[in-house]
Amino acid sequence: MFNVGFIPARGGSRGIKNKNIANCAGKPLIYWTLKAAQDSKLDKIFVSTDSAEIWNTVTNLGFSKVEPVKRSSQTAGDTATSESALIEFAADFKFDNAVFIQATSPLLTANDINGGLDKFINENYNSVISVIKNHQFIWTPNGHPLNYNPNERPRRQDWEGYYIENGAFYISSRENILKSKCRITPPVGFWEMDKIQLMEIDSIEDLNLAEKLLKILH
């Protein structure tokens, strides 16, 4: 069984210039997810990019299992989705299962990847995704509760809560990616991560906070 990591990393970014290789705790942002993937039991990790700068940065990091691959202009534009890059990769490369990893989740660990992969392989799921468990009450902008009845407000210890995608990774087989044209195919299993790992880098503020956390954790 050939299990690969797939990290989309296009050159254009709106919130932070060259976000995927922006400095974060002394390393390019993408370094942190690549390090987690390198230290995991994945057989190979592919970085899909349209950027020569990202290509060179990834190559110069020197991870033995990491290889940059060309991302076409059709899947790298401002309106293109990460899904399109994943489908393009699945069509062009042979593998059994892919862990679709987002470079904007620098608190991901090798243990998370391994745990998610074990769950995917050993249990009856077509996809496994990383999640955070939450017990907060959610309201719509126009004042309607979404996930509880205020007249029957549950106690935390009596309420199972719910799960939130934290965007760190999604696991599916190549067959299902090509068939469904989606990173997720039901039935779906969860790999629960720590609440601190909910962070995704979308702004300078996120980047600064991630830097502080990484310095503590590493």
Side-chain angles (χ1 to χ4, degrees):
M1 190 175 293
F2 190 54
N3 299 314
V4 304
F6 173 78
I7 302 179
R10 71 185 186 92
S13 55
R14 295 178 180 177
I16 305 171
K17 186 177 180 180
N18 293 324
K19 176 171 67 174
N20 289 310
I21 54 174
N23 181 64
C24 186
K27 302 286 186 181
L29 177 61
I30 199 171
Y31 165 88
W32 299 103
T33 47
L34 286 176
K35 179 69 164 62
Q38 171 73 24
D39 291 346
S40 76
K41 57 187 178 183
L42 287 171
D43 298 300
K44 190 82 175 175
I45 302 101
F46 295 92
V47 179
S48 171
T49 187
D50 61 323
S51 164
E53 190 173 5
I54 292 175
W55 185 293
N56 292 334
T57 298
V58 167
T59 300
N60 290 335
L61 288 173
F63 290 123
S64 61
K65 295 195 290 187
V66 175
E67 178 183 336
V69 295
K70 180 68 176 174
R71 182 168 172 173
S72 71
S73 58
Q74 289 80 14
T75 65
D78 285 343
T79 59
T81 64
S82 295
E83 229 88 12
S84 65
L86 175 64
I87 295 163
E88 177 181 65
F89 170 73
D92 292 344
F93 289 83
K94 294 288 195 291
F95 58 89
D96 292 300
N97 307 305
V99 183
F100 178 177
I101 300 167
Q102 303 208 108
T104 50
S105 298
L107 301 185
L108 177 68
T109 68
N111 179 67
D112 293 316
I113 296 171
N114 289 341
L117 200 53
D118 285 343
K119 192 177 188 82
F120 175 77
I121 292 169
N122 298 321
E123 301 183 31
N124 194 28
Y125 295 112
N126 283 335
S127 294
V128 168
I129 67 175
S130 60
V131 298
I132 301 298
K133 193 167 189 178
N134 207 311
H135 290 83
Q136 293 176 314
F137 299 127
I138 301 176
W139 291 72
T140 66
N142 58 354
H144 294 291
L146 278 180
N147 64 344
Y148 84 113
N149 181 350
N151 294 320
E152 300 175 4
R153 189 182 186 94
R155 299 186 307 162
R156 181 186 175 89
Q157 59 266 41
D158 298 330
W159 186 37
E160 186 178 352
Y162 58 95
Y163 291 96
I164 303 171
E165 285 185 32
N166 70 344
F169 68 77
Y170 306 81
I171 307 175
S172 285
S173 68
R174 177 175 183 263
E175 180 184 3
N176 279 329
I177 291 167
L178 291 173
K179 186 186 299 182
S180 68
K181 307 299 183 186
C182 182
R183 72 186 76 181
I184 300 171
T185 302
V188 178
F190 298 149
W191 175 256
E192 187 176 344
M193 292 171 62
D194 192 273
K195 283 186 178 180
I196 198 173
Q197 294 169 292
L198 181 60
M199 167 173 288
E200 288 187 85
I201 307 300
D202 290 316
S203 67
I204 291 294
E205 291 75 20
D206 294 337
L207 194 64
N208 291 338
L209 179 56
E211 185 166 37
K212 292 175 183 176
L213 292 171
L214 284 166
K215 286 179 177 177
I216 294 170
L217 296 171
H218 293 271

